Each structure stands twice: as C-alpha cells, then as structure tokens.
Amino acid sequence: MMLPQLLHTEEKDKLRRLVDKATHVVLLCHQNADGDAIGSMAAATLLLRRLGKTVTAIAPNNFPDFLMWIPTASEMMLADRMMNRVDAALAEADLVLLLDFNTPSRMGDVLPEKLMACPAPRVMIDHHLNPDADCALTISHPEMCSTCEVLLRVMLDMGWTEGMTALEATALYTGMMTDTGAFTYASNRPEVYEAVSILLGLGIDKDRIYRNVFFTYTEGRMRLMGYLLYVKMEMLPHHAALITMTNEERKHFHVKNGATEGIVNLPLQMEGMRLSIFLREDTEQPGLIRVSTRSVDDFPCNELCAEFFNGGGHKNASGGSLRMTMAEAVGVVKTAVRKYEDKLKVNEIST
Ligand code: 5GP
Ligand code: MN
C-alpha cells in the first residue's frame, strides 16, 4: 500500500510559502509534554534545520526524564523557567508551529497570551478534536494515532522525507509509539503500520526506542506501582477501576512529578475491564486533582471527561482536573461511573 496524499494542493502551496519565507521558526507544544509532543517538536526541529531555518522548540514546562534522550530534547526551552528567552524567540519568529494541541489554553496560563501577541503566522499540526487556534494553516487529523503520524504524512506530501535522517525518524516513531501505548490502542489503521514501515526503512531501532521509553523505572517507581495496585486500586461496578495517589504517597517512594505516567493503563490489563480512572494531587497547585482516564473499545473517555472532569481528549485516553479534595473527587468519579453505567455494561452483553 502506498500512503495517499494527506494535504490538498492549496494546503501544500500555503505550507510551502510559509516555510520558504521563514528564517526563525518557533515550535510550541502542550503543557506536561508527552512523547508525541516532544517527538513531533524534535522531528520538526531537525527537519527545519535541514531546510536551513533557525529553530527554537519551547515546552511550556518540564517534561519526563524518559523523553530526554530524544534527539534535541535536552536543548528545548522550558517556558516556565526562562520566560525572557521565550519572549526573545517569539519576537524574532516569522513562523510558529503548534504541535500536538488543539487550543492555546493547553499551553497553560502564560503562553497563550504571548502567542496571540506574536505577529508571526501560525501553523497547527495536530490530531486532537476541535482545533481552535486562529492559524494561517490548520492541519488537524483526529483520525491519526499521533501528531508524529500527521507530521510524517506532511513531510511525505511536501517531499521533505527526501534526505530525512534516522534521528528524525526516531523522534517520529517515539511519538507514534507513546500515543498508542506501543501500538496497543488507537492503531488499527493500516496506514499506521505503513508509516512505521517507512520509519524502519530509515534505520530506526524500534526495540531500543521501546526500552528507552518504557524500561526506565527507578526502584521507587516500581514499588509505588505495586503499592497503588495492592493498596489503592478500588474496583467500581461494571468493569471500571479507580486508583488515587496523594503527593505524600508519591514522595514516600521518591517518585518525581510526571513519572507516574502509565499507572492509569494498568487496571485495563484485568480481563473484561472497560474503564480505568487515575486521580492524583497536582504537584504545584494545592487543591487541584488531576484526572486521567483510559478505556477500551467504544467507551467514550472524552465525553466522560468533558462532562465530569473539565477536560477532554481522545475516545480511549482523556484527562481533566477537579478543584476539590481527593475525597470529593472520588465522589465525582462514582457519580460519573453511575451515569455512564449503560456504556460500561455493553461488554457484559457481548461476552
Ligand atoms: P493523560 O491522561 O495522559 O494526562 O492525558 C490523556 C489525554 O487526555 C491527552 O493526550 C489529552 O488529549 C487529554 N487531556 C488530558 N488532560 C486534559 C485536559 O485538562 N483538558 C483536555 N481538553 N484534554 C486533556
Ligand atoms: Mn498526541
């Protein structure tokens, strides 16, 4: 199978004009960047440098250590620690790429205003529903597994894969792998594997990429996982599970903020599970509970998160937050699960 064109002729022409004209490109991703955010910024950084541009990649805040090995990740600017350098980069920018988010508020409190004050044209490349950022060009493909998949398709359409390096391919593969839980969800489209095949052809070592990302636990992280599963996991009706974690518990195991990624997926490994919810205290804002949800098949996490957790996301992976105590948040979860009972029960009928 050959991958079909993703972009229309007008989109390609527009993107080429914008990139041709640019000399200083700023890349932005969402707060609490994940593998897809960092992977797509890294690949875009290397690509644009190959095209002769000066590139500054900015993450709104710190991101997990297990992403730091990604090419160019260690030189990315963390906006909350060096806002004056962010201001300087935006002042010089003649093109801004928004990668892996659909609306400026996903960058946190400060960056949206700065972005809107920057006169450079904006291009969004993303795979979240409902793009809303007033861009010169919006390349939004929610059917794709990751922004990295969208970016690869853009690069193919634009002829930018000519001369593409294994480092660029490695960055793209990382985003595809992390946003699909190593190709265990959101990855049934044959095009996903076609894209992977292209990246393998460029010489990536996918087994090593997997280990770099997933086999990086500290002893504390491993023991925290055991504790959360043994002591803190609560089974809810109709194949749902809830795990809660306080900052005190996290600190007891010497686990850093951001290093609890993946915990939410674990309950789904039990047979017949439909939904997993993970509540954790925010590390910076007291009184804020972060919510992560994961589901299988057609259970709509994004609808659940929009209705109960001030958030959204993808059908099988969404998140949000609640401004209340942990006990109150657990109450909200129980109400939410009751309301979505019928959608959770589907599995009981079909098995
Ligand atoms: P995670 O559980 O890994 O933090 O987030 C999973 C997905 O849910 C993210 O990729 C993102 O699409 C979505 N998400 C997480 N937090 C929020 C939020 O506060 N608001 C919205 N709209 N989406 C979120
Ligand atoms: Mn993504």
Side-chain angles (χ1 to χ4, degrees):
M1 187 181 81
M2 277 280 290
L3 287 169
Q5 290 272 315
L6 183 71
L7 302 179
H8 305 298
T9 309
E10 310 84 73
E11 289 176 312
K12 282 201 286 189
D13 291 346
K14 191 156 200 182
L15 183 57
R16 201 174 304 282
R17 267 200 312 277
L18 288 166
V19 170
D20 280 351
K21 266 204 296 195
T23 53
H24 289 81
V25 186
V26 164
L27 313 179
L28 289 164
C29 71
H30 58 79
Q31 209 173 20
N32 304 321
D34 56 11
D36 193 29
I38 299 302
S40 57
M41 287 215 298
T45 298
L46 294 166
L47 161 70
L48 289 163
R49 284 187 184 153
R50 183 153 62 76
L51 299 177
K53 316 294 175 190
T54 303
V55 185
T56 309
I58 302 171
N61 60 346
N62 202 5
F63 50 86
D65 285 345
F66 66 78
L67 300 175
M68 211 48 94
W69 64 273
I70 296 173
T72 76
S74 58
E75 56 176 275
M76 286 176 189
M77 232 179 243
L78 303 179
D80 60 348
R81 296 189 189 170
M82 34 184 129
M83 202 47 97
N84 50 348
R85 285 181 58 195
V86 170
D87 289 337
L90 281 171
E92 265 197 317
D94 39 28
L95 179 64
V96 180
L97 295 195
L98 312 183
L99 293 162
D100 200 36
F101 63 104
N102 56 350
T103 179
S105 63
R106 296 281 288 126
M107 292 187 295
D109 298 332
V110 185
L111 282 172
E113 266 176 53
K114 295 194 183 282
L115 175 66
M116 291 308 152
C118 171
R122 296 184 274 276
V123 173
M124 174 186 285
I125 300 179
D126 183 42
H127 71 128
H128 294 89
L129 291 168
N130 309 322
D132 176 21
D134 190 18
C135 292
L137 179 62
T138 299
I139 301 173
S140 169
H141 286 272
E143 79 280 11
M144 299 239 166
C145 76
S146 55
T147 297
C148 281
E149 186 188 359
V150 182
L151 181 56
L152 173 62
R153 296 290 293 272
V154 169
M155 290 173 69
L156 286 164
D157 286 3
M158 298 298 290
W160 290 335
T161 44
E162 193 73 32
M164 184 175 174
T165 64
L167 290 181
E168 290 165 49
T170 295
L172 289 176
Y173 182 83
T174 306
M176 293 184 65
M177 182 189 77
T178 53
D179 258 26
T180 58
F183 305 97
T184 58
Y185 50 80
S187 48
N188 277 333
R189 292 166 40 257
E191 291 88 343
V192 170
Y193 291 86
E194 199 68 31
V196 168
S197 172
I198 290 170
L199 298 175
L200 287 168
L202 286 160
I204 64 167
D205 183 344
K206 73 171 178 61
D207 303 348
R208 187 181 182 137
I209 295 171
Y210 184 92
R211 290 196 304 276
N212 282 353
V213 171
F214 293 113
F215 290 179
T216 58
Y217 295 166
T218 59
E219 183 188 341
R221 168 66 170 76
M222 200 74 183
R223 292 191 190 280
L224 172 64
M225 186 163 78
Y227 165 78
L228 291 176
L229 289 174
Y230 186 50
V231 178
K232 301 297 301 286
M233 182 173 74
E234 183 179 351
M235 300 307 291
L236 304 177
H238 312 300
H239 313 289
L242 168 67
I243 297 177
T244 60
M245 182 185 73
T246 63
N247 277 326
E248 201 177 330
E249 288 168 325
R250 184 177 53 76
K251 282 186 203 142
H252 174 81
F253 289 96
H254 310 287
V255 171
K256 279 197 274 187
N257 179 26
T260 52
E261 187 152 320
I263 300 274
V264 64
N265 295 307
L266 296 172
L268 293 179
Q269 291 182 30
M270 288 180 286
E271 192 179 359
M273 290 299 286
R274 297 272 293 162
L275 172 67
S276 168
I277 302 180
F278 181 42
L279 300 180
R280 62 194 184 283
E281 290 178 348
D282 189 86
T283 44
E284 275 132 46
Q285 302 181 54
L288 189 71
I289 306 292
R290 297 242 161 236
V291 184
S292 284
T293 66
R294 298 291 185 272
S295 69
V296 298
D297 293 336
D298 55 357
F299 185 89
C301 283
N302 44 3
E303 287 173 27
L304 183 87
C305 284
E307 189 172 343
F308 285 96
F309 305 123
N310 309 306
H314 312 279
K315 187 179 68 180
N316 294 138
S318 293
S321 58
L322 292 170
R323 209 163 272 288
M324 55 181 68
T325 66
M326 184 62 88
E328 288 164 340
V330 169
V332 173
V333 166
K334 292 189 175 170
T335 306
V337 165
R338 222 173 295 126
K339 171 101 189 273
Y340 277 74
E341 191 176 73
D342 290 346
K343 286 184 170 147
L344 285 169
K345 274 182 179 168
V346 170
N347 202 43
E348 294 169 15
I349 300 159
S350 64
T351 53

